[in-house]
Amino acid sequence: QVQLQESGPGLVKPSQTLSLTCSVSGEVITSGYYWSWIRQSPGKGLEWMGAISKSGGTYYSPTLRSRTSISRDTAKNQLTLQLSSVTPEDTAVYYCARLRRLYLSAPVVRLPDDYWGQGTQVTVSS
């Protein structure tokens, strides 16, 4: 059973960098999937932010590319997300997930064989 758990601060000040960690169990992150970050802002749909592949290649949403960095620690089997220069519009529930595909700008669909963490609320406020 693959399990993903997001962790990080629930409150970030504007202009700061949001940093989240995703701890994975039940599967190694060097397997053949896209280990991804997705967010959902209040009243909006799921937004794919980016992913890291089994080889360590990174892929980002065109709209968030300039502010987003995804990395991994294979020894700890963890992913990390950094989103810089945050504003209140970055307030959202942030999810990590094991996905079979990249979404870039396409709408995210929860597929039966995808695995998602429970999500973590991040609020950007002074």
Side-chain angles (χ1 to χ4, degrees):
Q1 179 75 10
V2 181
Q3 294 185 320
L4 302 95
Q5 179 67 56
E6 306 89 348
S7 61
L11 181 64
V12 182
K13 295 184 183 301
S15 80
Q16 292 187 339
T17 296
L18 179 162
S19 295
L20 297 175
T21 298
C22 175
S23 298
V24 180
S25 60
E27 187 161 6
V28 294
I29 60 175
T30 52
S31 65
Y33 296 96
Y34 294 104
W35 300 89
S36 307
W37 288 95
I38 304 103
R39 69 181 183 179
Q40 187 166 27
S41 302
K44 297 184 179 180
L46 296 168
E47 179 183 20
W48 184 86
M49 301 180 68
I52 190 164
S53 70
K54 63 178 181 179
S55 62
T58 52
Y59 307 84
Y60 298 107
S61 161
T63 58
L64 295 171
R65 173 185 299 273
S66 63
R67 299 196 291 130
T68 308
S69 177
I70 296 174
S71 59
R72 67 182 183 179
D73 185 330
T74 56
K76 295 181 178 179
N77 215 39
Q78 291 179 335
L79 314 175
T80 61
L81 169 72
Q82 291 192 312
L83 183 66
S84 63
S85 305
V86 297
T87 72
E89 291 187 349
D90 294 309
T91 293
V93 177
Y94 286 76
Y95 300 91
C96 62
R98 190 201 81 174
L99 305 180
R100 284 198 172 271
R101 56 162 290 186
L102 300 173
Y103 283 86
L104 300 179
S105 300
V108 176
V109 178
R110 287 187 182 238
L111 299 175
D113 57 351
D114 291 336
Y115 286 89
W116 290 64
Q118 65 183 19
T120 186
Q121 173 70 47
V122 178
T123 301
V124 180
S125 175
S126 56

